[in-house]
Amino acid sequence: MNAIDREKLIQAAFESLKNSYAPYSCFNVAAAVLTDSGKIYTGVNVENASYPCGICAERNAIFHAAACGERKIIACAVVGGKNGEVTDYCPPCGVCRQVMREFCEPEKMTVVLAKSTDDYKEMTLAQLLPESFGPENL
Ligand code: THU
């Protein structure tokens, strides 16, 4: 992805990190997805007193986009860390990888794991989720 889009996406993720609700794990995560309409949608992890009811930042961002009518994701940036301090890369969990799979072309979709706007790792969803099962398989 181009440098401007990447920077905007990482920035959007960092801006929403303050909204993460993670009183149980104290591990705050935020994600921002860029769709084919050019818009950016953010999401954060939202935990629950009944632990399994919580949801990851990536899925919240993707469902946010889908709820606004979007159906194609071009890229997703993820930031996160203990007590909101981003000291390492935060890779998406397996469930979130599968949810990303629904709305993208895995070989083309970019996943950006960022520590800052100029310290990041970039990969495709196909690299994170090889031999995946998607809508075309049904
Ligand atoms: N979490 C995310 O939001 N995204 C990830 O990719 C990994 C984990 C959240 C879930 C939970 O609220 C907290 O981080 C600790 O697992």
Side-chain angles (χ1 to χ4, degrees):
M1 71 184 308
N2 72 53
I4 297 169
D5 282 348
R6 184 192 309 111
E7 188 168 336
K8 271 170 47 183
L9 207 57
I10 294 172
Q11 257 166 11
F14 269 106
E15 277 163 26
S16 51
L17 191 55
K18 62 181 183 305
N19 298 325
S20 156
Y21 178 74
Y24 307 107
S25 72
C26 297
F27 192 87
N28 299 101
V29 187
V33 297
L34 173 67
T35 66
D36 64 349
S37 70
K39 289 189 188 145
I40 289 175
Y41 297 84
T42 57
V44 295
N45 59 331
V46 179
E47 297 184 349
N48 190 281
S50 175
Y51 293 178
C53 299
I55 190 166
C56 291
E58 297 91 323
R59 267 175 288 157
N60 254 349
I62 294 163
F63 295 154
H64 178 191
C68 292
E70 304 283 357
R71 293 293 181 266
K72 184 137 189 212
I73 293 168
I74 306 296
C76 177
V78 189
V79 303
K82 198 90 183 159
N83 299 314
E85 284 163 33
V86 182
T87 54
D88 208 347
Y89 304 115
C90 180
C93 79
V95 175
C96 289
R97 294 177 196 200
Q98 182 63 35
V99 170
M100 288 174 187
R101 171 69 179 86
E102 188 69 19
F103 297 114
C104 74
E105 285 176 67
E107 303 282 350
K108 291 189 186 157
M109 182 190 161
T110 306
V111 179
V112 185
L113 312 181
K115 289 195 223 176
S116 70
T117 48
D118 45 27
D119 184 349
Y120 57 85
K121 267 202 235 181
E122 202 173 275
M123 59 218 72
T124 65
L125 183 64
Q127 288 173 307
L128 284 174
L129 192 69
E131 300 297 332
S132 63
F133 186 87
E136 312 78 23
N137 296 104
L138 289 174

